[in-house]
Amino acid sequence: MSLSQVQKYRPHLHFSPQENWMNDPNGLIYFKGEYHLFFQYNPNDSKWGPMHWGHAVSKDLVKWTELPIALYPDENGTIFSGSAVVDWNNTTGFFPDEPGLVAIFTHHLENEVYIPPKQSQSLAYSYDNGRTWVKYQHNPVLEHDSNVDFRDPKVFWHHSSNKWMMVLATGQTISIYSSPNLIDWCFESEFGDNIGSHDGVWECPDLFELQVENSEESKWVLFVSIGDNPKFEKGSLTQYFVGTFNGSVFQAEHEDEKWLDYGKDNYAGVSFSDIPVEDGRRIYLGWMSNWRYANEVPTQGWRSQMTLPRELGIRKVKDSYSVIQKPVQELDVYFTRKEVINNKLIDKELRYDFDESYGMITLNIENMDATKYGVDIHHTQSNVTSIIIDTQKQLLILDRKNSGMNSFSDNFSMPQEIKLFDTQKLKLNLVIDSSSIEIFGNGGEFALTSLVYPDKACEEISLHALDGEMKVEEGYLLKPRT
Ligand code: FRU
């Protein structure tokens, strides 16, 4: 493998492992000035295999430094997904001197004895800011009679009940447990029967409180990723529920299905723990792939990358609450050059040079009388990704069938769509990297995250309108800092 083959498709703004396979983000946490990203990692192959926790750190959530593997398999099994917390008050007794990190993860044991595999929850702790870890000597700390699909603990400190809470994926439901010390766990409740999508196994939950935009009100949000099911064309993706949590029971306040992202490549996303209150943000990132084709994507020597970190909020429209998401503001300094598009009427096509390795485009669009309009990203002369707004069908469509390499999966070429309520006025924010496009619409009201495998990130951008005109009231082509 030549260096250029290995570097082909390597992202500039997204974390990808130097070599070998990565899936879910794990143990996302902020501690002593560093963001930690642990991740599902197979150090022996660029396909999924026996899981470890890989590790990377960042000061700004965008530029990551990969560190040695944090957690290795042991006699209890391989290391599946989980979370990390700071044990500020030494509830575990692991930290007599000063607070440190505790990882809570799933041990996955698969052998002649354990068919089906046994999944249980275990602990490890670190005295040196996550560089090295000690496994708790009485692991596992939480087991269950039925061993299958009992995984992905996300733990947080619940102030009003003065306890740790764990949300855990248990087949097609999420179970909630509580603990005074991360070691002894007590079952509280189970959520998910007769609600939400059950098109795949439930995985990687997260539960947190968010303040509603422009209000004093707050809501609890439960993320649930649902695994691949061959009958479900979209593959694996993430749904969420908005409701209340009383320290024991989560209750959703709606019956409709809610999707975190309308693209195919945002899975298993969870939020960072312990971001200081003065900062106050809830930030998450996801694995930018899909179980339908993740093992086949055409990178060489490494596989997978994470989405951009995104700040979460809640918006109330009429009586419905939706999660909104925007790339974190730390990204802004990565773009210093900009071209302004002001009050431009577009009929047919307007092209801009954009010969850059990554970029961001923001557009405030008013449709005049076009039936379809949109943006084409010309990665090269022959690799084009199209974003089309169809005003009759009221859809935003991302079409990546001509975006580059796609022969590794039939499913990859199928269009990705969002139903829009208003196609006359639209705010778009697109982030383009070597092998991805992330779309954020109307100030974060919707997101569409999509991998692409073109020969180059971008050469030109074209804005287009069919059967009429559209107007860009205000727009920017943002280019990398020099
Ligand atoms: C989700 C998942 C988790 C599991 C991990 C194994 O992508 O299936 O449920 O812990 O991946 O790598």
Side-chain angles (χ1 to χ4, degrees):
M1 242 179 287
S2 70
L3 188 63
S4 68
Q5 282 171 316
V6 176
Q7 293 316 331
K8 190 166 183 188
Y9 308 127
R10 179 76 81 186
H12 299 278
L13 300 172
H14 298 80
F15 176 74
S16 64
Q18 276 314 301
E19 50 183 11
N20 293 319
W21 167 271
M22 171 179 84
N23 57 291
D24 316 354
N26 297 149
L28 301 181
I29 194 158
Y30 178 85
F31 188 51
K32 296 194 177 165
E34 281 180 328
Y35 292 94
H36 292 262
L37 162 62
F38 299 92
F39 48 88
Q40 288 288 275
Y41 188 55
N42 178 8
N44 303 312
D45 197 351
S46 53
K47 289 198 183 269
W48 190 86
M51 283 292 116
H52 299 54
W53 272 25
H55 188 195
V57 288
S58 172
K59 296 248 182 249
D60 72 352
L61 290 159
V62 183
K63 193 173 178 297
W64 294 92
T65 306
E66 194 171 343
L67 296 177
I69 290 175
L71 295 175
Y72 285 83
D74 58 39
E75 65 284 1
N76 287 311
T78 56
I79 315 294
F80 270 22
S81 286
S83 49
V85 294
V86 183
D87 186 11
W88 294 109
N89 297 319
N90 193 24
T91 61
T92 52
F94 300 156
F95 304 103
D97 300 327
E98 54 173 319
L101 298 177
V102 183
I104 308 100
F105 58 89
T106 298
H107 259 129
H108 174 88
L109 194 57
E110 191 167 1
N111 57 28
E112 321 69 58
V113 183
Y114 291 105
I115 309 168
K118 174 182 152 132
Q119 298 188 333
S120 53
Q121 317 322 316
S122 289
L123 305 179
Y125 47 96
S126 172
Y127 294 117
D128 55 3
N129 309 335
R131 270 45 178 192
T132 61
W133 292 82
V134 184
K135 300 249 180 64
Y136 175 54
Q137 57 172 338
H138 302 299
N139 276 341
V141 293
L142 180 61
E143 296 178 273
H144 197 257
D145 304 339
S146 132
N147 291 318
V148 274
D149 298 329
F150 187 65
R151 61 174 177 268
D152 308 340
K154 179 75 163 74
V155 173
F156 62 96
W157 180 255
H158 188 245
H159 290 279
S160 41
S161 46
N162 222 13
K163 276 185 198 157
W164 297 103
M165 295 288 156
M166 176 197 291
V167 278
L168 192 69
T170 46
Q172 292 269 331
T173 60
I174 300 303
S175 295
I176 301 178
Y177 290 82
S178 68
S179 171
N181 56 9
L182 296 171
I183 294 165
D184 306 299
W185 290 95
C186 167
F187 175 78
E188 294 285 343
S189 66
E190 195 173 356
F191 170 84
D193 276 338
N194 306 318
I195 188 165
S197 165
H198 290 269
D199 284 311
V201 63
W202 284 24
E203 301 184 314
C204 300
D206 194 2
L207 178 64
F208 46 84
E209 196 173 13
L210 283 180
Q211 189 150 355
V212 179
E213 232 182 13
N214 308 319
S215 112
E216 293 296 301
E217 195 185 7
S218 66
K219 290 281 169 198
W220 283 82
V221 175
L222 177 67
F223 280 9
V224 179
S225 283
I226 52 176
D228 189 17
N229 168 347
K231 287 193 229 119
F232 189 47
E233 185 250 298
K234 292 183 172 148
S236 51
L237 70 172
T238 303
Q239 62 181 330
Y240 68 90
F241 302 89
V242 179
T244 58
F245 178 62
N246 64 4
S248 175
V249 176
F250 172 79
Q251 222 155 12
E253 294 179 329
H254 55 96
E255 274 163 21
D256 54 320
E257 285 171 7
K258 292 182 186 285
W259 300 106
L260 189 60
D261 196 303
Y262 291 83
K264 282 196 179 145
D265 301 312
N266 182 358
Y267 192 66
V270 283
S271 65
F272 281 84
S273 184
D274 288 277
I275 292 187
V277 250
E278 314 84 79
D279 179 322
R281 291 178 296 173
R282 177 63 57 172
I283 296 168
Y284 94 102
L285 55 79
W287 173 45
M288 193 150 60
S289 198
N290 190 309
W291 279 117
R292 183 63 59 91
Y293 44 69
N295 276 284
E296 273 75 48
V297 299
T299 50
Q300 296 215 21
W302 58 280
R303 262 208 188 85
S304 294
Q305 51 188 303
M306 295 301 178
T307 68
L308 285 175
R310 302 165 183 192
E311 182 179 351
L312 293 168
I314 290 211
R315 185 169 292 171
K316 186 178 179 189
V317 180
K318 301 212 173 77
D319 282 331
S320 172
Y321 296 86
S322 305
V323 166
I324 58 170
Q325 54 186 306
K326 300 175 202 176
V328 290
Q329 79 212 15
E330 284 86 341
L331 196 66
D332 295 351
V333 298
Y334 286 78
F335 302 92
T336 48
R337 295 172 297 133
K338 71 177 172 194
E339 193 166 331
V340 183
I341 310 174
N342 227 340
N343 260 322
K344 272 249 166 359
L345 272 179
I346 290 128
D347 104 79
K348 297 201 181 62
E349 193 190 62
L350 186 59
R351 282 205 185 214
Y352 291 89
D353 268 348
F354 203 99
D355 199 1
E356 304 292 344
S357 50
Y358 65 85
M360 173 141 66
I361 304 171
T362 64
L363 299 168
N364 287 4
I365 296 171
E366 184 179 358
N367 185 32
M368 309 313 279
D369 51 0
T371 55
K372 289 183 181 170
Y373 64 88
V375 187
D376 280 355
I377 295 146
H378 301 264
H379 306 287
T380 64
Q381 290 310 302
S382 54
N383 297 164
V384 181
T385 303
S386 295
I387 296 159
I388 303 147
I389 290 87
D390 183 324
T391 62
Q392 276 145 9
K393 294 189 182 144
Q394 300 276 99
L395 288 177
L396 180 148
I397 303 153
L398 182 136
D399 182 349
R400 60 180 173 183
K401 68 175 177 303
N402 300 317
S403 60
M405 175 61 95
N406 60 16
S407 55
F408 55 89
S409 153
D410 290 344
N411 184 276
F412 193 78
S413 295
M414 295 178 182
Q416 302 166 74
E417 297 178 349
I418 307 173
K419 186 89 190 150
L420 296 179
F421 294 104
D422 180 5
T423 50
Q424 292 311 105
K425 282 209 169 249
L426 187 63
K427 287 188 184 165
L428 285 180
N429 180 19
L430 316 179
V431 184
I432 303 165
D433 201 347
S434 320
S435 47
S436 67
I437 297 173
E438 284 157 287
I439 307 179
F440 301 90
N442 294 340
E445 238 167 61
F446 62 82
L448 192 157
T449 303
S450 181
L451 290 168
V452 285
Y453 293 101
D455 287 340
K456 264 179 80 175
C458 197
E459 276 177 0
E460 284 180 312
I461 302 287
S462 65
L463 308 175
H464 49 82
L466 188 74
D467 304 329
E469 290 180 322
M470 67 110 148
K471 185 160 94 183
V472 174
E473 292 176 330
E474 192 187 355
Y476 299 96
L477 302 180
L478 298 157
K479 300 178 179 180
R481 67 177 169 210
T482 39

